[in-house]
Amino acid sequence: MHIYDFFGSAVCHQMAERSFWIAGIQTPLCARCTGIEAGFLFGWLFLLLCRRTNGNQPFSLAGILLAAFCFIPIGIDGGGSYIGLLESNHFRRVVTGSLAGVGLPALFLLVANFQPQAQNQTPIYRNIWEQVGLLLFTLLYGLAVYFGYLPYTLVAVVSMLGVICFYGSFWFLIVRLLTIGKKFPCILTAFAGGLLTASLVAICMHMIKGM
């Protein structure tokens, strides 16, 4: 199994009929997970590149409403498809996955850094347009995958790193809460923890499938 598929198995069922095919190769994740994990990667890259990893200020009302709106489509499409009320497709899966995934890193960051007794004045998003821009970028990526504009290797690498960021988000939350007020390499620890956890989960999934 290719390394990309190995890491993909840590979060995704990898059903062929629900996955994209690029140049005859099945992508490591299904269409919905492709959007979700890309959102995790792009969300964390934004926070790192813009140096917002210490952000602790709650979102504005507009930011809260936008974040809430992004979870509604995946609830309708995913939930409706699961109970048999809706027949989903690749387009809706990747779009709803992208909408939901991109905002989650900021939520992890807020929970990890917010201190009830402090003023919490360090912003995660400086304004609503940063949030909108990040959202549109992730949506454009998802659509580019859907229409076949991106090479397999790029999509596979983004998916793999997104899976690591997904598990790393939980590590970041735990490590930051345990080291409040202390200087500690939380990001590096979270990435290493995400890499280890994704690997262990993937190994367990393959062991289960092989039984």
Side-chain angles (χ1 to χ4, degrees):
M1 172 170 286
H2 203 286
I3 187 172
Y4 304 132
D5 300 313
F6 172 76
F7 277 100
S9 67
V11 296
C12 183
H13 53 64
Q14 298 178 313
M15 295 172 62
E17 64 272 21
R18 295 190 179 183
S19 303
F20 294 111
W21 289 77
I22 303 176
I25 306 174
Q26 181 183 340
T27 53
L29 301 173
C30 71
R32 199 183 309 278
C33 287
T34 294
I36 293 173
E37 304 310 325
F40 264 96
L41 176 61
F42 298 150
W44 277 113
L45 283 177
F46 170 83
L47 297 172
L48 287 170
L49 294 175
C50 294
R51 300 182 179 181
R52 306 290 173 77
T53 53
N54 291 320
N56 55 20
Q57 186 179 67
F59 304 150
S60 65
L61 177 59
I64 293 174
L65 292 176
L66 179 59
F69 168 78
C70 289
F71 287 101
I72 295 175
I74 197 172
I76 296 175
D77 187 60
S81 176
Y82 182 78
I83 63 177
L85 291 179
L86 297 173
E87 182 64 33
S88 190
N89 54 46
H90 282 15
F91 179 82
R92 293 209 300 266
R93 290 183 184 118
V94 73
V95 167
T96 57
S98 299
L99 287 172
V102 71
L104 290 173
L107 294 178
F108 273 96
L109 189 67
L110 180 61
V111 173
N113 291 339
F114 182 81
Q115 299 181 45
Q117 306 303 321
Q119 293 184 348
N120 298 301
Q121 295 182 341
T122 304
I124 296 175
Y125 298 119
R126 295 192 185 279
N127 52 63
I128 188 66
W129 296 113
E130 287 189 343
Q131 199 172 347
V132 171
L134 181 59
L135 179 62
L136 290 177
F137 179 84
T138 307
L139 273 176
L140 287 174
Y141 169 83
L143 292 175
V145 178
Y146 174 79
F147 287 110
Y149 294 149
L150 301 179
Y152 169 82
T153 301
L154 174 61
V155 176
V157 169
V158 169
S159 297
M160 181 180 70
L161 293 177
V163 171
I164 295 172
C165 287
F166 168 75
Y167 285 105
S169 297
F170 295 96
W171 278 90
F172 178 85
L173 176 61
I174 295 171
V175 172
R176 180 55 64 89
L177 291 176
L178 293 176
T179 59
I180 294 178
K182 301 177 182 178
K183 290 186 177 181
F184 192 83
C186 295
I187 294 296
L188 291 177
T189 303
F191 184 82
L195 179 62
L196 175 63
T197 304
S199 300
L200 291 176
V201 172
I203 291 172
C204 290
M205 291 303 298
H206 285 286
M207 291 177 62
I208 292 173
K209 291 179 179 178
M211 294 177 63

